[in-house]
Amino acid sequence: MIRSLSQKNFTFKFILSLFICILTFISVFAADVQVNISPTTPTVGSPAELVITAIDAARVSVVDGLPAVSGIRWYSDIPDYSSSMSIVNGRRTAVYSLRYAFTPTKSGVVTIPSLEISVDGVHTETGPIQISVQASASRSSASSSSGNNLQVSINPTNPIAGSQTELLITANNASNMTVRGTLPNVPGIEWSNVVSRSSSMSIVNGRRTTRYTLRCVFTPAKSGTFTIPEIDVNVDNTAMRTKPVQLTVSAPPTASEARLDPKTIAFTEITIPGSDRDTPKSYFIGEEIPLQITAFIRSPYRMQFEEYPVISAADDMTIRFHDYRKTNPEAPNFESVTQGHQLIGRGTFITYNFITKLRALSTGKLKLSVSVPAVILDTDSFFQSVVAQKKLSDALDNITILPLPAAPADAPYIGVMTSAKPEIELSPAPYRVGEPITLKIRLPGIENSETLTPPAFSPDMFRSYPPETVEQGRSAEIRYTLIPLEQGNYPLSLKFSTFNPETKQYSIADFHQSIAIEKAQGILKGASGPAIVNAQPMDSSSAISSARAKTAPETMLYLHDDIDSTVSIPLIKNTVVFIVIALLTGFGTLVFGILSFVRKNVISADESARRRRSAHAVRSGLLKKLTASSPRDLAGEPAAELCTYLNDMLSLSPGTPLNETAKSVERESPELAEKLRTLADAAWMPSLKDKLDQDFKMSLIKGIRKYFIFLVFLFLPFQTEAADELSAETKLPQNATEAKTAYDSGEFEQALQFYALQYKPATPSPSILYNMGNCLYQLGEYPRAMVCFERAKRLSPRDSDITGNLNLTRRKLMLPMKYQVESPGDFFLFIRDSFRTDEWLAGTAIGLMLIMISTAMLLRNRKGLWRWFMGAGGLVVLICAAMLTAQISAESPEKQAVVITRNAPLYSLPSEQSGRVEQYLKPGQEVHIEENRMDWIRVRLEDNSEGWLRSSSAALLWNVLASDLLPQS
């Protein structure tokens, strides 16, 4: 009985599945076939195409051939076919197209009857197609020349006999173009009678430019030199004629017998585009070498790629690839893959082209090898089947890397290769003492700025800052900021060289200009505090040297020795004893309220402790879930819960991905880090789930248990806030003296790590934050340095060194000065920001104490003396309470943040896939946080516009932790 029920159940499921499959196939084939005419309105005597397109199809054909139609002359019953394939999220989408070329022979409406087509063996029928054919323009109106509006070119420039080639006819500012009559008969050239059309548009400086292109496909039958004569075309109903074009066809490359063997279906080849494969080539060190890796597959087979090609260099030659991250984030070493066809011998091959560029960083013989892992599919049947999995390989060993010639002695080479001339620009006059001057060097036509070394530029009588390099597409810009020190006329001189790989010579840029410096107007905005400019000229050299010594940035970036002086967090801890004593004098019961307020703030401020306590509560449940899960399911929900647990225990940002979490545990447990990376990769690469077996699961659980023990000891009560500490290497300074020595020796990273280890979130030191800011400034991390100085300013608001270095950093980021008195309205803000919140609270307590004392004196009949105490107490309470209220309402420290990354994208939605980039934010720009969501924050800018920003791209102006200020390694 049980067996009978099982058989019935199986039969029912099989019939139901078969029925669903049939319905799916019918719906797909009925909906994904399209028929159209190109161009939509053809002209009498001009080539046109009937295009039949099928989605997710491997083979399409017209049953019983093309019908005879009055008014249409078909070129051939054999169509030109094309196919393309894309793989998105593991799903393969194929587009198969048939193109039948024809020429209309009369104007008017022509009807092509229904066509019976076969899509992967399933027959379907198209509806009738009506075509509106327009009359041709008079041939007598044809222009004898194309003028400047018509260009003709060949693609590729150096075609190979037997390979498909295109004749490109391009017209600027045209909306339509057709060939009049037929293409010319050229012996040795076989036209395919397929003419495709494309158009593009660009807007430069508000001007719209369009380009319309005809692509006439042909195949050179033999090698040699050919001339394609003039071709009559209609450009927007205007008859024109192209110029003759000459092309040189090369013989087919010598292919091995295996490639021509009919049994061989796939191979690959690495070439340098536009050059003969066997001809030796030479490049200079650092010059970009274009490469094309072509994978060939004999039709009707297809290829599917799970990985991009792997290119390696032999003999320990060092190479570096061009960064295509913006256009192809999936594989930043390559452009997107393109597809085509090529005839080799008697076989037609489908080609997959991978384009890249690389630079050699050492001289000598460069031998490149490539490996292309691919899956070969048989598409000659209704269902695609895997034929084989192969690693196609090839090598290129005829490249020589040459050293650069000696650079000019008086013009240092700045590491840039370009054929364009540098552009040097100085900010416009007038120039005044103390006001910044910007010198910009624009370097157009460079592929990357990795090797760029800005030339030294430090003219006399100017305070100069380190240069800033900004990438702008295929160009780079070097910016120098100069502060004039004295009034007068001073020359600016700068000389450097770039290398032109085309001429194999250096190009020298020589800049000379004398500028007049006027006296300053009032206050020097570039100084750390107000300074009145003396109108009298300084003639003595000693006075000039003294002025330069006082304003040089290096003298401002000295370190503090008193790193043991700390400020307790929350700030109320610093004055709680004084406040309690003052309030006990007047009203003892307020002590309990103040103590409870302090305790509440201490607990609420320790966000890391709260996260660790919540993580500790779920630890045992997490272990049970990992133990009960099957190995292949570990990459799902268990991995996500494990990632959340580790992020909470290590005080990492919520939403930190598992790969980034693995980096944080690698030092203490490299085995666990490797397991976490495998879990992260398996979540989006199903093929890696085969590695998740029982041994992997047991090793993962064992590593997690060991790391749990490490975390328990790490966060014992006698430990400091370890989530904000850095792992100290043996080479780090061991005390403040060694840290200062390392800083003076230029070892800024080691000094920074020492101060970060000494920093304690519960009792932060403004001197440590100040020293960290100096180290970050010297490392070029200006936004992070600015945040360090801002946090130190809130702990020690009257420290002039902190204020001076903060404004020095803001000038470096082209931001206005802060905490300066430049108008009467700034005086109130200056007084407000000169004391901390707890200090204003202590002043309020003193005022209340005086009021209570005056009340006691009044009760004891101390005559008029109580009035003085009452008036003084009331004035102190009024001023301190007003300043305290203004400071609390103005700061909102938990909502103010600073952008710390360059060109941080601001998205319309909290997603890089569905959101679009609204704008790019500058480093150092202040934003107001409106909402937190996982690892995204919604921010509001100064102009009240809003958007979503990655939380790692910004740092809070006030935070008890310091780990968010350390540069990412």
Side-chain angles (χ1 to χ4, degrees):
M1 181 65 180
I2 295 177
R3 183 177 180 182
S4 176
L5 289 175
S6 300
Q7 290 176 347
K8 290 182 179 180
N9 190 25
F10 172 81
T11 303
F12 174 78
K13 290 183 177 180
F14 175 79
I15 294 175
L16 179 61
S17 301
L18 184 60
F19 179 74
I20 292 175
C21 290
I22 293 173
L23 288 180
T24 303
F25 285 142
I26 293 175
S27 63
V28 167
F29 290 128
D32 291 340
V33 176
Q34 302 173 358
V35 182
N36 54 64
I37 302 297
S38 177
T40 307
T41 306
T43 305
V44 174
S46 299
E49 290 179 329
L50 172 68
V51 184
I52 303 173
T53 303
I55 309 298
D56 285 332
R59 182 174 294 276
V60 179
S61 61
V62 175
V63 181
D64 297 331
L66 296 172
V69 180
S70 176
I72 285 181
R73 179 170 60 86
W74 300 102
Y75 281 99
S76 173
D77 283 340
I78 302 176
D80 184 79
Y81 71 90
S82 63
S83 63
S84 61
M85 178 182 65
S86 63
I87 300 176
V88 180
N89 296 328
R91 184 180 183 274
R92 174 185 179 275
T93 300
V95 179
Y96 196 101
S97 298
L98 293 180
R99 295 175 180 269
Y100 289 90
F102 67 90
T103 299
T105 58
K106 66 177 182 179
S107 60
V109 178
V110 179
T111 302
I112 299 177
S114 299
L115 301 175
E116 184 178 357
I117 62 174
S118 172
V119 181
D120 289 342
V122 177
H123 288 219
T124 185
E125 192 172 274
T126 67
I129 306 168
Q130 287 190 340
I131 310 172
S132 296
V133 181
Q134 61 183 1
S136 62
S138 174
R139 186 176 182 85
S140 62
S141 63
S143 174
S144 61
S145 64
S146 63
N148 294 327
N149 193 42
L150 214 57
Q151 298 93 33
V152 185
S153 60
I154 301 296
N155 182 35
T157 308
N158 299 312
I160 300 174
S163 63
Q164 194 175 73
T165 312
E166 293 178 329
L167 173 69
L168 306 181
I169 306 174
T170 303
N172 293 328
N173 296 322
S175 60
N176 188 30
M177 180 168 52
T178 58
V179 176
R180 301 177 64 244
T182 59
L183 294 171
N185 182 21
V186 181
I189 289 182
E190 300 175 359
W191 299 100
S192 68
N193 295 321
V194 173
V195 179
S196 61
R197 297 160 177 82
S198 64
S199 61
S200 62
M201 180 185 69
S202 61
I203 300 177
V204 179
N205 296 329
R207 183 181 178 184
R208 178 177 177 271
T209 303
T210 59
R211 291 171 61 88
Y212 197 96
T213 303
L214 288 181
R215 300 175 182 268
C216 306
V217 181
F218 66 92
T219 302
K222 60 182 180 179
S223 60
T225 301
F226 302 90
T227 300
I228 299 178
E230 300 170 343
I231 300 176
D232 293 328
V233 295
N234 284 333
V235 181
D236 290 338
N237 294 325
T238 300
M240 304 185 72
R241 183 173 297 168
T242 67
K243 292 181 179 180
V245 61
Q246 193 176 67
L247 68 152
T248 301
V249 180
S250 304
T254 303
S256 63
E257 293 298 329
R259 295 183 180 182
L260 298 177
D261 187 347
K263 297 180 181 179
T264 299
I265 61 174
F267 62 93
T268 190
E269 191 173 67
I270 178 172
T271 57
I272 296 178
S275 64
D276 185 15
R277 174 182 169 87
D278 298 326
T279 302
K281 304 164 189 67
S282 60
Y283 294 87
F284 288 99
I285 183 172
E287 182 181 357
E288 287 203 324
I289 305 172
L291 290 178
Q292 176 173 312
I293 294 89
T294 305
F296 297 82
I297 183 73
R298 189 184 297 270
S299 180
Y301 296 98
R302 297 291 187 273
M303 278 189 187
Q304 180 174 317
F305 302 96
E306 296 182 353
E307 300 177 12
Y308 273 75
V310 178
I311 303 176
S312 58
D315 300 330
D316 296 329
M317 288 286 286
T318 304
I319 58 176
R320 182 168 296 177
F321 288 89
H322 183 87
D323 189 3
Y324 295 98
R325 194 177 308 276
K326 293 182 180 179
T327 57
N328 189 16
E330 178 185 353
N333 290 347
F334 291 90
E335 290 186 9
S336 299
V337 61
T338 60
Q339 188 175 334
H341 295 81
Q342 184 170 335
L343 181 65
I344 300 179
R346 295 183 177 273
T348 299
F349 284 79
I350 300 173
T351 60
Y352 301 86
N353 303 307
F354 301 86
I355 306 297
T356 186
K357 296 178 182 178
L358 57 83
R359 294 179 290 124
L361 304 183
S362 52
T363 59
K365 202 73 173 179
L366 178 61
K367 300 179 181 179
L368 298 174
S369 60
V370 61
S371 175
V372 185
V375 177
I376 300 177
L377 304 174
D378 182 8
T379 61
D380 201 19
S381 59
F382 182 76
F383 295 100
Q384 293 188 8
S385 60
V386 176
V387 176
Q389 293 185 349
K390 285 190 175 184
K391 279 194 175 182
L392 310 176
S393 60
D394 193 24
L396 191 64
D397 57 359
N398 57 356
I399 302 175
T400 303
I401 305 301
L402 305 175
L404 289 174
D410 58 341
Y413 175 53
I414 62 173
V416 170
M417 289 190 178
T418 177
S419 58
K421 184 179 180 181
E423 303 169 3
I424 304 178
E425 177 187 353
L426 195 65
S427 58
Y431 309 118
R432 297 186 177 91
V433 174
E435 296 186 3
I437 301 173
T438 302
L439 178 71
K440 298 180 180 180
I441 303 175
R442 187 172 180 273
L443 302 167
I446 65 174
E447 296 290 348
N448 60 75
S449 60
E450 293 181 8
T451 58
L452 172 60
T453 303
F457 186 54
S458 181
D460 293 336
M461 301 309 300
F462 292 86
R463 185 198 326 160
S464 58
Y465 295 97
E468 181 182 7
T469 302
V470 180
E471 292 187 18
Q472 300 175 339
R474 288 177 56 87
S475 65
E477 188 174 270
I478 307 174
R479 299 173 183 174
Y480 296 88
T481 301
L482 308 174
I483 306 295
L485 302 178
E486 290 297 327
Q487 179 183 355
N489 293 321
Y490 301 104
L492 294 180
S493 178
L494 181 62
K495 193 174 184 180
F496 61 91
S497 63
T498 59
F499 187 75
N500 188 339
E502 297 179 1
T503 62
K504 302 181 180 180
Q505 294 179 351
Y506 287 93
S507 301
I508 298 177
D510 196 357
F511 172 78
H512 294 284
Q513 184 174 339
S514 180
I515 62 175
I517 306 299
E518 303 174 2
K519 67 178 181 180
Q521 297 179 348
I523 297 176
L524 278 176
K525 297 182 180 180
S528 60
I532 306 300
V533 178
N534 189 354
Q536 298 296 328
M538 301 179 64
D539 296 330
S540 71
S541 59
S542 62
I544 293 175
S545 302
S546 175
R548 294 186 66 184
K550 290 180 180 179
T551 55
E554 289 77 7
T555 60
M556 300 179 66
L557 295 171
Y558 62 84
L559 302 179
H560 282 185
D561 296 326
D562 55 337
I563 64 174
D564 293 331
S565 62
T566 61
V567 177
S568 298
I569 295 297
L571 294 175
I572 190 64
K573 287 185 177 181
N574 299 282
T575 54
V576 64
V577 177
F578 183 81
I579 292 174
V580 170
I581 293 176
L583 295 180
L584 278 175
T585 304
F587 194 61
T589 56
L590 295 179
V591 175
F592 299 102
I594 293 176
L595 291 177
S596 62
F597 174 77
V598 172
R599 182 176 181 275
K600 179 180 179 180
N601 278 272
V602 171
I603 296 175
S604 62
D606 196 353
E607 175 67 21
S608 299
R610 290 206 307 271
R611 291 179 63 189
R612 288 196 296 271
R613 285 196 297 270
S614 61
H616 183 76
V618 302
R619 184 182 65 183
S620 58
L622 176 60
L623 279 174
K624 291 180 181 178
K625 177 170 287 189
L626 291 174
T627 305
S629 301
S630 65
R632 293 181 63 86
D633 293 338
L634 290 175
E637 184 179 351
E641 294 185 9
L642 177 60
C643 180
T644 302
Y645 170 82
L646 292 174
N647 290 342
D648 289 342
M649 289 299 294
L650 297 173
S651 294
L652 299 178
S653 300
T656 300
L658 197 56
N659 271 324
E660 296 297 326
T661 306
K663 294 180 182 179
S664 301
V665 306
E666 188 164 15
R667 175 177 172 81
E668 294 79 18
S669 180
E671 297 83 1
L672 178 59
E674 182 62 29
K675 296 292 187 296
L676 295 178
R677 290 194 189 94
T678 303
L679 277 180
D681 295 341
W684 62 277
M685 293 181 64
S687 60
L688 290 181
K689 288 190 177 182
D690 295 336
K691 296 183 179 180
L692 306 184
D693 52 14
Q694 190 66 22
D695 293 338
F696 176 88
K697 172 182 172 181
M698 300 309 297
S699 299
L700 175 66
I701 294 175
K702 182 179 179 181
I704 292 173
R705 291 183 185 277
K706 289 183 178 179
Y707 199 68
F708 282 166
I709 298 175
F710 166 76
L711 291 177
V712 170
F713 283 99
L714 183 65
F715 295 109
L716 285 177
F718 55 79
Q719 295 287 338
T720 59
E721 295 290 336
D724 193 52
E725 293 182 355
L726 296 175
S727 58
E729 302 289 344
T730 56
K731 295 183 180 180
L732 291 183
Q734 301 300 313
N735 50 54
T737 302
E738 292 184 8
K740 193 171 184 179
T741 302
Y743 180 90
D744 295 338
S745 302
E747 298 173 352
F748 306 120
E749 292 186 6
Q750 296 188 16
L752 174 63
Q753 293 191 27
F754 169 79
Y755 290 122
L757 286 169
Q758 305 305 312
Y759 180 85
K760 297 178 176 58
T763 56
S765 168
S767 295
I768 288 181
L769 285 171
Y770 170 83
N771 292 347
M772 290 177 63
N774 289 341
C775 295
L776 289 166
Y777 182 95
Q778 299 288 14
L779 290 171
E781 296 283 347
Y782 304 122
R784 300 177 192 271
M786 188 182 77
V787 177
C788 266
F789 292 136
E790 286 279 9
R791 294 181 182 178
K793 177 72 176 176
R794 282 161 170 73
L795 295 177
S796 184
R798 295 177 297 281
D799 191 323
S800 60
D801 291 338
I802 296 175
T803 306
N805 284 7
L806 170 62
N807 285 330
L808 175 67
T809 308
R810 291 181 66 86
R811 284 199 302 272
K812 190 66 181 176
L813 294 169
M814 304 300 177
L815 298 174
M817 304 297 101
K818 292 182 69 173
Y819 309 111
Q820 304 288 313
V821 180
E822 299 181 359
S823 64
D826 295 337
F827 184 75
F828 174 80
L829 301 179
F830 180 79
I831 296 298
R832 183 198 69 184
D833 296 332
S834 296
F835 295 89
R836 299 194 305 259
T837 305
D838 60 319
E839 292 173 337
W840 286 121
L841 184 60
T844 305
I846 292 175
L848 291 174
M849 181 186 70
L850 293 176
I851 293 175
M852 294 176 187
I853 291 175
S854 67
T855 304
M857 294 176 65
L858 176 62
L859 295 176
R860 293 176 63 93
N861 195 16
R862 292 290 182 180
K863 297 183 180 181
L865 190 60
W866 67 273
R867 301 178 186 272
W868 294 98
F869 279 85
M870 179 67 74
L875 183 62
V876 171
V877 169
L878 180 64
I879 294 176
C880 293
M883 292 296 179
L884 176 64
T885 303
Q887 196 173 71
I888 293 175
S889 60
E891 284 188 354
S892 301
E894 73 282 356
K895 296 295 184 181
Q896 297 297 326
V898 170
V899 179
I900 58 176
T901 58
R902 185 188 301 271
N903 295 330
L906 188 70
Y907 291 89
S908 59
L909 295 172
S911 171
E912 294 179 351
Q913 287 75 32
S914 58
R916 68 176 185 275
V917 178
E918 299 288 348
Q919 59 177 301
Y920 291 92
L921 305 184
K922 299 184 296 184
Q925 184 173 350
E926 295 187 14
V927 297
H928 188 272
I929 299 177
E930 299 288 341
E931 180 184 353
N932 290 274
R933 186 182 300 178
M934 298 296 289
D935 55 344
W936 291 86
I937 53 175
R938 182 166 61 88
V939 299
R940 176 166 47 85
L941 309 182
E942 293 182 355
D943 58 357
N944 289 326
S945 60
E946 294 186 0
W948 291 90
L949 187 68
R950 282 284 187 184
S951 56
S952 58
S953 299
L956 290 173
L957 275 179
W958 177 239
N959 191 354
V960 295
L961 303 178
S963 57
D964 59 337
L965 300 180
L966 299 179
Q968 301 297 320
S969 57

